[in-house]
Amino acid sequence: MADVQIEDGIIRVVQLDIQDPKAAAVLAEYPQVRWPEITRRALKIGLGYLKGGGKD
């Protein structure tokens, strides 16, 4: 399980493993130096879909 912390509006994820071969294949099409930014954007978009879902 990843260690997730929120501090001053910043989400920090330590030791996160994502087992998704299709997502890995898409990410691998880009230069490795862009992986952190692409992953950050994807996480931001994904969490945006969950707005308000915490009360369910």
Side-chain angles (χ1 to χ4, degrees):
M1 185 65 69
D3 177 22
V4 180
Q5 303 293 323
I6 301 174
E7 184 177 320
D8 296 327
I10 298 172
I11 302 169
R12 297 190 193 283
V13 182
V14 180
Q15 294 294 78
L16 175 65
D17 295 329
I18 301 171
Q19 186 176 351
D20 189 331
K22 289 181 182 179
V26 170
L27 192 60
E29 293 179 13
Y30 294 89
Q32 190 170 358
V33 297
R34 295 203 49 215
W35 292 357
E37 177 63 18
I38 293 168
T39 303
R40 183 194 68 79
R41 287 182 181 194
L43 183 61
K44 185 176 177 181
I45 291 167
L47 287 174
Y49 283 115
L50 297 176
K51 285 184 187 173
K55 293 179 173 56
D56 293 342

